[in-house]
Amino acid sequence: MSPLQAGEPQATAELARLFAEGPAAVLTGAGISTDSGIPDYRGAGTPPRTPMSIAQFMDDEAYRRRFWAGARIGFLRSSGVAPNAGHLALARLEAAGRIGGVITQNVDDLHRRSGSRTVVELHGNGSVIRCLRCGARWSRADVLGWFDDLNPGFAERNAHAEIAPDGDARVSGTERVVVPSCPGRGAPCGGLLRPDVVYFGETVPPAVFSAAETLVRDASALLLVGTSLAVNTGMRLLHRAERRGIPIAVINRGPTAVDRRDSVAVRIEGGTSETLSALASALDVRV
């Protein structure tokens, strides 16, 4: 199938036809957040990068120092990051009953911040930090405030570090960084803190994947938005949609793992913001 180009009337019309039988489900990846200023992992021109594994985080204290240092600078630099037109269009489409909800591979919290109500976060939410000893959950802002108390001046000295695709930053000189630990709730704890996300080497919690399956089961179509489908969890959901025989649409900059599949009814090459905004307008949903 030759891809249609984002912005072409035919592309929008073909996409809108998929909603004739009822609400669709949407699976999003890093490509929907690039217009918010967050780099992706696999887009054109992106240098090769190996995402962090849970084994690295748990077993290597030096790695944890680098992680929290990068998280601190990334948080400083991301204070202006906001949902873009693509996120807002999906929230409006849900409010209008045109989609049943959003399944996302992202951990950036932008779908919830845009107003989407039904959001299945396959890989967790990076704005939440949990303690491995007592189970307490804290906001990332809280934990990074403790980082500042333990490492005065570090954020200011590294404020211009390069931002990585996961929203953190590439920093050096972390040998003396002190990593925050859990203060406990009502009693001292000192437990190891980690983002409440699914890292490489971990699996998506069964209840989370079941919620995603339910959205696909109840949908009249599946939209794959800003994802190359390089992660197995997304492919499993695609297979569920194929077994049901519902049409599938792909909106992405660059090739994906499913472009040649017969189940793909619409393939749009281009940005997600312009495509989803045009779709909402075609379905008479205000954005």
Side-chain angles (χ1 to χ4, degrees):
M1 171 189 297
S2 298
L4 301 169
Q5 295 300 311
E8 292 182 354
Q10 182 186 355
T12 303
E14 292 288 338
L15 199 56
R17 288 192 187 97
L18 300 188
F19 290 80
E21 301 300 322
V26 179
L27 172 65
T28 68
I32 195 172
S33 295
T34 55
D35 287 346
S36 292
I38 300 176
D40 64 9
Y41 279 100
R42 300 177 181 90
T46 302
R49 183 174 185 272
T50 302
M52 184 176 70
S53 72
I54 188 59
Q56 287 173 309
F57 187 87
M58 296 298 296
D59 300 338
D60 188 342
E61 183 178 355
Y63 199 97
R64 287 196 296 275
R65 288 197 294 268
R66 291 194 297 272
F67 169 81
W68 285 111
R72 181 63 191 95
I73 306 308
F75 190 78
L76 179 71
R77 297 277 297 280
S78 66
S79 59
V81 170
N84 61 53
H87 296 105
L88 296 171
L90 289 178
R92 296 289 189 178
L93 286 164
E94 181 190 9
R98 291 296 197 161
I99 65 172
V102 174
I103 307 160
T104 186
Q105 299 169 103
N106 301 335
V107 300
D108 54 31
D109 201 36
L110 292 178
H111 284 298
R112 293 191 185 280
R113 288 174 56 193
S114 73
S116 288
R117 294 169 295 184
T118 303
V119 181
V120 179
E121 295 168 317
L122 291 174
H123 299 152
N125 189 317
S127 68
V128 178
I129 308 297
R130 63 182 170 90
C131 174
L132 293 177
R133 178 179 293 173
C134 71
R137 280 170 163 73
W138 310 90
S139 74
R140 177 172 282 228
D142 283 339
V143 176
L144 294 179
W146 306 336
F147 179 96
D148 286 343
D149 293 339
L150 295 168
N151 302 276
F154 182 89
E156 290 77 9
R157 291 192 301 272
N158 294 273
H160 299 292
E162 179 187 0
I163 299 299
D166 52 14
D168 294 335
R170 298 186 175 98
V171 295
S172 58
T174 60
E175 296 81 7
R176 296 183 181 180
V177 162
V178 180
V179 173
S181 59
C182 179
R185 293 192 184 275
C189 175
L192 183 67
L193 295 169
R194 59 158 290 177
D196 196 20
V197 302
V198 177
Y199 286 120
F200 279 75
E202 297 184 297
T203 58
V204 174
V208 173
F209 188 76
S210 178
E213 283 186 305
T214 298
L215 282 177
V216 174
R217 182 199 66 199
D218 295 341
S220 64
L222 175 63
L223 274 59
L224 306 175
V225 177
T227 176
S228 62
L229 266 289
V231 178
N232 183 56
T233 307
M235 288 298 293
R236 290 169 62 195
L237 292 171
L238 173 79
H239 294 156
R240 302 304 193 270
E242 289 179 327
R243 286 201 288 271
R244 289 195 56 228
I246 60 175
I248 294 165
V250 178
I251 307 165
N252 196 58
R253 291 188 180 103
T256 80
V258 301
D259 288 344
R260 299 182 185 278
R261 297 178 83 97
D262 293 339
S263 56
V264 175
V266 181
R267 171 64 169 100
I268 297 177
E269 173 66 30
T272 58
S273 292
E274 59 183 308
T275 303
L276 293 172
S277 297
L279 172 64
S281 295
L283 295 174
D284 199 27
V285 173
R286 290 187 176 182
V287 179

